[in-house]
Amino acid sequence: MRDHPPRLPSSPGFWRSPLRGSWFTSVLGLVLLVGITVLFVTGLVSYAAYNPDLSRVNDQTPDKGILGFYLFAWPTGPVWLYRFTQGLHVTLGITLIPVLLAKLWSVVPRLFALPPARSVAHALERISLLLLVGGGLFEFTTGVLNVQLEYVFPGSFYPLHFYGAWVFFAAFVAHAVLKAPTALRAVRRRPREESDLVSPRPEAPTVSRRGALALVGGGSLLLFLTTVGQSLGGPFRRTALLAPHGAADPGGGPNGFQINKTAAYAGITPADTHRDGWRLVVTGRSGTVRLSRAELLRLPLHSASLPIACVEGWSTADQWWRGVRLRDLAALVGHDGDPPDVFVESLQRHGAFRRAALRANQVADPRSLLALYVNGEELSPDHGYPARIIVPAAPGVLNTKWVARLTFGDL
């Protein structure tokens, strides 16, 4: 009598690929062990850059509790620091997608294994796997959507990605502790496959396991080459075929570099920024002063060559900014010597990061400017005319555009 093939995914013979086995899964797992650890660390670093221990202002996750134990005053040097850490985070995350999908494919029979729990310990392991798989898919999916500027989340990206990362990484660590020794043995010795992943009735192979790994590696390499250019900025951005190039065309000339949020999108009108009506309000220890753009131009002007780098992983090349040092503006309102923190408010009326805070070390850096010019020309409206913040090594959203008010003091 002829055997009928199993129809349920819980049946061992349902999964027939000859590629599955402990060696193939272990190689992928060890790659992810290193890669996901780097992703987690660089993700925490990015969060620290956004919230340099200024919980009341920049914090996007006010209920994080002890999860914010590591926050610190984000440094201002080297100037490419955030471009490097966030570029590594985004580029590595996208590069690892084929590895993650291949790893999930390689262990999919275990997700359908019955009974679902053979003991309390086995039940805990299955729960950790649920958190591991679900958390991994959630983190990679939300990360890719954010990189592509598709903000379709049921809430803010920052707390969702932050909390999801802690849940995912906790399950990942537990899984790694349990499985890493077995994976290392499988890779070193490559024993005769007796894993539960091996099909009892495999189909004829069409590619070797090494060939399958080469295919996964090739996919990762392709994603790397079509993504990394956005972190390098300048002419390399043209090679970043999978990176969002923005709906707004920055045009040519001195202001011809990446724009994510245009003046029209932010609701900024010519009346808001007209030189006869706009005034910068600066408040500090000695009171408040109001400065027109002409009055700002009569103050000592300084220049700095700095990039803009954003959480989506993109970065501009270094641009030549010119304006008034933030520490000089602090001195105008009574903060001579060591300046304090500053609370920055934009003309932008709606949306995230229309207000931001900078730590005292960022204000004190001589390269931190209220920029009035870029590359020898007045700022364009889309780049923040009449004045914007530019701070070395800070995430792009903290380089507030269309600045209306600066309030100096301890935050």
Side-chain angles (χ1 to χ4, degrees):
M1 185 175 178
R2 182 176 167 184
D3 291 335
H4 293 284
R7 296 181 179 179
L8 297 177
S10 57
S11 303
F14 181 85
W15 307 98
R16 302 189 60 192
S17 172
L19 297 179
R20 289 190 178 92
S22 59
W23 182 82
F24 185 72
T25 297
S26 297
V27 172
L28 296 171
L30 292 175
V31 172
L32 290 174
L33 176 63
V34 176
I36 287 176
T37 301
V38 173
L39 285 180
F40 183 70
V41 172
T42 52
L44 293 186
V45 164
S46 178
Y47 188 82
Y50 268 71
N51 176 23
D53 208 16
L54 292 174
S55 296
R56 294 190 302 109
V57 183
N58 293 358
D59 197 352
Q60 297 292 308
T61 51
D63 300 321
K64 66 184 179 303
I66 63 171
L67 297 182
F69 70 92
Y70 69 95
L71 296 179
F72 55 93
W74 184 249
T76 56
V79 298
W80 43 262
L81 178 62
Y82 190 73
R83 173 164 63 184
F84 172 75
T85 59
Q86 191 60 14
L88 175 60
H89 181 77
V90 171
T91 302
L92 179 60
I94 292 176
T95 300
L96 285 177
I97 288 175
V99 183
L100 176 70
L101 294 178
K103 176 66 160 62
L104 293 178
W105 173 87
S106 74
V107 298
V108 71
R110 287 178 179 166
L111 302 181
F112 293 93
L114 296 176
R118 296 189 294 269
S119 65
V120 173
H122 186 243
L124 292 175
E125 182 182 352
R126 294 299 292 272
I127 292 172
S128 72
L129 282 176
L130 179 64
L131 294 175
L132 181 67
V133 174
L137 292 175
F138 177 82
E139 286 297 289
F140 276 81
T141 300
T142 54
V144 169
L145 288 174
N146 186 67
V147 168
Q148 294 299 321
L149 308 178
E150 296 292 342
Y151 305 114
V152 293
F153 318 109
S156 172
F157 167 76
Y158 301 96
L160 288 173
H161 207 64
F162 180 77
Y163 290 131
W166 279 104
V167 171
F168 168 57
F169 196 70
F172 179 76
V173 169
H175 185 74
V177 169
L178 292 172
K179 300 296 184 181
T182 302
L184 287 170
R185 285 195 300 270
V187 170
R188 288 173 181 169
R189 300 176 186 174
R190 197 171 181 181
R192 180 176 176 271
E193 294 281 10
E194 295 180 352
S195 167
D196 59 335
L197 296 174
V198 177
S199 174
R201 46 195 307 273
E203 295 176 332
T206 56
V207 65
S208 69
R209 286 177 178 145
R210 290 187 183 277
L213 286 178
L215 182 63
V216 173
S220 290
L221 178 61
L222 179 63
L223 289 178
F224 173 81
L225 294 176
T226 52
T227 302
V228 69
Q230 72 163 346
S231 301
L232 301 176
F236 296 102
R237 185 167 174 79
R238 298 174 185 172
T239 68
L241 302 179
L242 298 183
H245 289 245
D249 182 3
N255 278 273
F257 55 95
Q258 171 73 11
I259 297 168
N260 265 20
K261 185 185 296 181
T262 65
Y265 177 86
I268 307 298
T269 66
D272 295 322
T273 59
H274 194 276
R275 64 181 69 246
D276 294 334
W278 178 84
R279 295 292 183 273
L280 174 70
V281 180
V282 185
T283 301
R285 181 185 294 149
S286 62
T288 298
V289 297
R290 296 170 61 86
L291 301 167
S292 67
R293 199 170 191 278
E295 290 170 323
L296 284 169
L297 290 172
R298 288 196 287 270
L299 296 174
L301 299 183
H302 300 270
S303 299
S305 180
L306 301 172
I308 296 177
C310 280
V311 69
E312 295 91 1
W314 65 263
S315 174
T316 70
D318 289 358
Q319 310 297 324
W320 193 254
W321 307 91
R322 187 163 177 80
V324 182
R325 285 174 172 166
L326 293 183
R327 68 185 191 184
D328 291 345
L329 291 170
L332 285 179
V333 288
H335 296 283
D336 295 308
D338 294 333
D341 308 330
V342 64
F343 180 51
V344 185
E345 298 175 80
S346 172
L347 291 171
Q348 182 181 341
R349 296 175 180 84
H350 307 287
F353 292 103
R354 63 187 183 277
R355 302 181 183 93
L358 299 171
R359 290 300 301 262
N361 67 302
Q362 294 173 308
V363 176
D365 193 294
R367 298 164 296 181
S368 295
L369 304 175
L370 180 74
L372 307 172
Y373 296 93
V374 63
N375 299 323
E377 186 176 278
E378 282 189 347
L379 298 168
S380 69
D382 288 340
H383 279 302
Y385 180 87
R388 70 170 296 163
I389 297 293
I390 186 72
V391 173
V397 292
L398 300 186
N399 293 317
T400 308
K401 298 194 284 189
W402 313 294
V403 176
R405 180 184 293 269
L406 299 174
T407 303
F408 291 95
D410 295 330
L411 298 175

